[in-house]
């Protein structure tokens, strides 16, 4: 699949014929802006960047690329964390940035149809006026298209599900430039193969999403939040399991280890202390319910030995809490001057989360690396941020990451909970899925993209 | 794909070699028991019935069928409603009835791993002891494997989702007899293509499900139910839209038209009167919430002009309500002696539900057919039961069904909300999905089942 052609003058002429002059650039500056995502993976330049403004233009670009065997890497906001949008084989970077409109709000159906380039935070700012929101929140202002392509998740997934659970229908352009509609605006549908979920999470390797109808949620009438601190990590993560087993419908349940809590308290002015911390959020339709849920959460945390528990319905306090959490990585970058970062993203069944955290800590200690662990604990999703400057530390960071991934898979979990496979997780696909399942995935890829032009070098080991 | 071979003596010898004598039968009585589901579609005999007891035996049977080009139709409980499990091209009926065990209960993870032949009611009877349940409830004691294959849904889908939303991982035997694992016990996973949802709802045409890990829900602490009656259909279905738009988390929201209400009140001793009726159920973690939700539901219904509203927390009353609803079709069969039935199953975005119901009534009237309409209204899912005895009425029933399906698709909906495509809905696939999407589905079928042996004649128009 790696027999690609360069973007020749002939190809540029063809592209120019289906785009306007301001929709195509071979300038180095433009290509550099689309050479790297937010991960540690090495940048790579594409040969040309295009910014189509319609599905038909996307289709025209893909038709040309398909005929000429040119790689095409779709680009949303460049906020992916596993090299997912790096154009490893050059070719065309297809930016959806100019397809960023809300097409139709179906308010009575709690649905909105959007173009893929819209940022989910921008979308939610507009939806808020209608009392609705799109629940997945990966953190950075990811594009909806990128969230769909990577099946992004985030803090609220414990209650509302990942991106795949919040999409009903999409328009997709296939590798050969043909447009298809998948899914349905009907929330119930049993009409043939679920093509929708085949494209969601396929990281731009099976098609390019050009439109999506998303499931929305009413803004909760009552939101409360809480910060619980524990004397040690084992107690904190055990409390997570108990909170989940209680059947309480918690909207967010985040774990932050002692070192990160201390760092964020110091740098960001939150009062989380120097202990393992849980951040919680509860959404309720009634004030009474919010209070009852919070009481139960407090009882469970204190029953597990929480040494601190501060609950609030104050919006400012809650927003400060989430701002600190969501910008944690920026804070880490600021504190660890001149470092690069290996970011781990594994997930396990919730019952195995304590075992995963314990193994991760031991592994980091064994490799003489700092313990910066945070996680969407309610989902069993653990992130580890490992800073490095020199090659030796980078290698230790890689070894630690690999050990944690393999252990997560052994515990019944996954190499990637929400960042996607991209470049970095391809080598674990066989271990996680088995050879036959990976073969089936390759067959599907071959069927839908016979020339392998769509985002080559991702997902599969040894392209 | 229809060049199949008969089940010759040679094939029987091969099958006998991988099964025990009590796991295979060519007796007419056994084949007749597996010739027809609960739909109006004509029965068709397979040539042999096999009852494997392990995944490996399923794999062995498929390996033989693949090599010899023998059709294989998987069989769960035979409760499908669109001919989904009728062995149209003969060959092998592969009954999963003897693979009916719970393999592992992962109580802390709210998950259970089961074999496909277990009935979901039997499963729930066992799970109840642990305070958990598997939420989808299609009505008849469908097998879990059949529910997965057809993406069955039912009354509680409005809160808990369809079967596809309640499965995390499966073991599947491919057409060539190879076993694969799809999905993950981790609720979060972004590791490659979503093979899980490709097999869910594929009606046994892409593989045979031999094991599944299901998502469970804690039994709600407080359950209340209500019956609301309305002077006319338009008001009742408008109340449905309002109830959904309120953002209330209703666990069931069923619509029953006047004629059916009257019939069930008379035959089953419920007091629903002779008016369009809504059946509601609310699940809550706190008694206070249950009361508050119910008050809000009553306010909305009465604001929409409900002429009756009876709420209760009495378990016996609620169970009677659901028993009456779930056995409605048996009651209809009893009352309409000697009739056969055309069952419609369409779904639309909830905002279009009133328009769908109005169109359906006009269509039934125009064809001089009784108005027996019920629906999982909260999901926009409408069922119509049309009795017929003679060929002329059967043809009118078909025309009415076809008109309603096409209108549902026009309204942004689907030809089948929960019964699957089977035989009866294949002709609507092009209209619903478009030619390119159906072509993609065919390509996937061809890729995974190159000889077309798995449940031939289903899903696709003109096999």
């Amino acid at each position: 699949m790696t027999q690609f052609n360069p973007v020749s003058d002939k190809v540029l002429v063809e592209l120019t014929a289906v785009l306007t002059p301001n929709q195509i650039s071979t300038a180095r500056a433009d290509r550099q802006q689309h050479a790297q995502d937010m991960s540690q993976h090495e940048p790579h330049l594409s040969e040309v960047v295009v910014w189509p403004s319609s599905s038909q233009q996307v289709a025209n670009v893909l038709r040309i690329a398909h005929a000429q065997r040119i790689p095409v890497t779709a680009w949303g906001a460049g906020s992916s964390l596993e090299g997912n949008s790096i154009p490893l084989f050059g070719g065309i970077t297809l930016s959806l940035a100019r397809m960023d409109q809300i097409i139709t709000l179906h308010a009575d159906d709690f649905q909105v149809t959007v173009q893929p380039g819209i940022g989910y935070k921008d979308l939610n700012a507009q939806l808020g006026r209608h009392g609705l929101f799109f629940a997945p929140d990966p953190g950075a202002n990811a594009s909806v298209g990128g969230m769909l392509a990577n099946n992004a998740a985030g803090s609220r997934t414990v209650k509302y599900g990942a991106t795949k659970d919040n999409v009903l229908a999409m328009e997709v352009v296939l590798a050969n430039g043909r447009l298809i509609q998948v899914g349905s605006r009907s929330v119930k549908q049993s009409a043939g193969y679920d093509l929708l979920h085949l494209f969601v999470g396929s990281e731009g390797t099976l098609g390019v999403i050009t439109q999506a109808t998303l499931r929305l949620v009413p803004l909760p009438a009552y939101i409360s939040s809480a910060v619980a601190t524990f004397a040690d990590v084992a107690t904190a993560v055990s409390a997570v399991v108990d909170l989940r087993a209680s059947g309480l419908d918690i909207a967010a349940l985040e774990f932050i280890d002692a070192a990160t809590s201390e760092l964020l308290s110091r740098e960001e002015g939150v009062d989380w202390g120097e202990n393992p911390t849980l951040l919680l959020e509860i959404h309720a339709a009634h004030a009474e319910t919010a209070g009852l849920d919070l009481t139960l959460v407090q009882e469970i945390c204190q029953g597990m030995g929480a040494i601190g528990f501060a609950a609030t319905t104050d919006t400012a306090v809650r927003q400060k809490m989430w701002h600190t959490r969501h910008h944690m990585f920026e804070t880490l970058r600021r504190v660890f001057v001149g470092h690069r970062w290996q970011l781990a993203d594994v997930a396990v069944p919730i019952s195995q989360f304590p075992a995963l955290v314990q193994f991760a800590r031991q592994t980091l200690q064994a490799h003489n690396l700092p313990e910066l662990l945070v996680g969407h604990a309610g989902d069993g999703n653990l992130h580890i941020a490992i800073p490095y400057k020199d090659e030796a530390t980078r290698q230790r960071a890689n070894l630690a990451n690999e050990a944690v991934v393999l252990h997560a898979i052994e515990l019944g979990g996954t190499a990637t909970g929400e960042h996607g496979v991209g470049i970095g997780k391809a080598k674990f696909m066989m271990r996680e899925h088995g050879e036959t399942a990976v073969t089936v995935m390759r067959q599907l890829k071959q069927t839908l993209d016979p020339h392998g032009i769509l985002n080559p070098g991702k997902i599969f080991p040894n392209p």
Side-chain angles (χ1 to χ4, degrees), chain A:
Chain A
M1 65 178 267
T2 50
Q3 292 303 304
F4 299 123
N5 289 320
V7 179
S8 62
D9 288 349
K10 175 173 171 294
V11 171
L12 286 174
V13 167
E14 287 193 44
L15 288 172
T16 305
V18 299
L19 298 162
T20 60
N22 73 348
Q23 290 182 317
I24 178 165
S25 171
T26 54
R28 189 174 181 86
D30 287 322
R31 293 185 290 130
Q32 272 176 334
Q33 277 185 0
H34 298 84
Q36 190 175 24
D37 62 358
M38 287 173 63
S39 74
Q40 83 283 10
H41 296 287
E42 292 299 325
H44 196 285
L45 290 178
S46 62
E47 293 154 79
V48 60
V49 183
V50 300
W51 293 267
S53 62
S54 69
S55 305
Q56 194 50 57
Q57 281 189 328
V58 173
N60 290 340
V61 169
L62 285 179
R63 201 169 24 74
I64 294 165
H66 182 71
Q68 305 292 342
R69 312 283 198 275
I70 313 285
V72 177
T73 302
W75 184 275
S79 55
S80 57
L81 290 165
E82 204 56 87
N84 320 58
S85 52
I86 297 176
L88 270 186
F89 288 78
I92 301 167
T93 292
L94 194 157
S95 168
L96 284 313
R98 295 189 196 164
M99 293 174 64
D100 63 349
Q101 297 300 301
I102 292 178
I103 295 171
T104 315
L105 175 65
H106 309 280
D108 279 353
D109 295 316
F110 295 177
Q111 297 174 7
V112 67
T113 303
V114 299
Q115 291 185 309
I118 192 168
Y120 84 97
K121 289 185 180 176
D122 301 326
L123 173 63
N124 277 335
Q126 295 191 56
L127 292 173
R129 284 179 240 137
H130 303 274
L132 297 168
F133 75 111
F134 175 58
D137 62 333
N141 192 9
S143 70
V144 167
M147 290 172 68
L148 289 163
N150 288 316
N151 185 28
S155 310
R156 290 191 292 244
T157 296
V158 62
K159 179 176 172 70
Y160 298 106
T163 303
K164 73 177 161 64
D165 304 307
N166 290 279
V167 58
L168 288 158
M170 301 193 303
E171 177 187 75
V172 177
V173 180
L174 301 177
N176 61 9
R178 300 212 54 181
L179 273 163
I180 65 171
Q181 309 292 331
V182 297
S184 173
R185 285 229 296 119
S186 170
V187 295
K188 255 190 186 170
Q189 188 192 34
S190 285
Y193 303 157
D194 185 350
L195 298 183
L196 179 75
H197 287 100
L198 184 60
F199 289 103
V200 172
S202 67
E203 304 186 23
T205 65
L206 297 179
V208 175
I209 299 161
T210 47
Q211 193 170 301
T213 298
L214 309 172
R215 184 193 299 264
L216 305 176
V217 184
L219 283 169
Y222 298 90
I223 307 180
S224 45
S225 64
V227 176
T229 51
F230 294 82
D232 57 79
V233 172
T235 321
V237 294
S238 297
V240 169
V241 179
D242 278 20
L243 284 163
R244 292 292 286 144
S246 73
L248 269 171
D249 190 17
I250 296 169
L253 177 46
E254 299 280 314
F255 165 70
I256 299 183
D257 78 292
T260 309
S261 287
E262 185 276 324
L263 187 149
L264 292 174
S265 295
R266 172 162 44 84
E267 293 290 326
E268 295 295 303
V270 289
D271 51 356
W272 302 348
E274 304 173 9
N275 289 290
T277 299
L278 299 182
L279 310 181
L280 296 110
E281 185 166 298
I282 287 171
H283 294 176
H286 313 287
E288 293 86 342
T289 324
L292 287 163
D293 284 351
L294 214 49
T295 304
L296 199 46
V297 166
Q298 183 165 5
E299 280 172 13
I300 292 170
C301 287
Q302 290 177 340
M304 288 301 298
I307 55 176
F309 188 89
T312 184
T313 56
D314 188 307
T315 306
V317 174
R318 186 178 70 251
Q319 285 177 343
K320 173 74 179 168
M321 175 180 98
W322 287 122
H323 187 271
T324 304
R325 168 63 187 86
H326 281 142
H327 293 78
M328 181 195 75
F329 192 48
E330 283 96 314
T331 309
L332 286 175
R333 280 185 199 270
R334 201 175 65 228
V335 171
F336 287 78
V337 180
H339 285 73
R340 297 182 72 180
W341 293 84
Q342 165 84 52
L343 291 180
D345 163 42
V346 290
V348 292
I350 188 69
S351 63
Q352 304 300 320
F353 193 68
L356 176 69
V357 170
Q358 189 187 5
F359 180 88
R361 296 183 67 202
Q362 287 168 350
T363 303
L364 292 167
Q365 287 162 12
H367 288 89
N368 193 26
L369 295 165
E371 284 181 51
L372 300 169
L373 299 96
V374 300
H376 308 306
D379 301 311
N381 189 191
L382 181 70
H383 294 312
I384 311 172
I386 312 178
Y388 62 87
K389 273 181 166 166
D390 54 84
E391 178 57 22
T393 314
R394 190 188 69 79
Q395 286 183 16
R396 293 205 311 281
N398 275 350
L399 287 173
N401 181 45
E402 186 155 330
V404 170
V405 167
L406 294 177
H407 196 67
I409 293 172
E410 271 171 40
L411 293 172
T414 175
T416 168
E418 57 180 18
H419 294 174
V421 180
I423 297 167
K425 294 293 171 65
K427 63 182 166 188
F428 303 111
M429 289 287 279
M430 289 288 219
R431 182 73 73 101
E432 178 163 346
H433 297 289
E435 190 177 344
T436 314
V438 173
T439 299
V440 168
M441 291 187 199
R442 279 194 202 276
Q443 288 173 331
L444 299 180
K445 167 73 174 174
Q446 173 70 23
T447 300
L448 289 172
D449 179 18
H451 304 154
I453 61 167
L454 292 176
N455 204 7
K458 312 298 166 61
I459 294 188
F460 297 104
N462 312 314

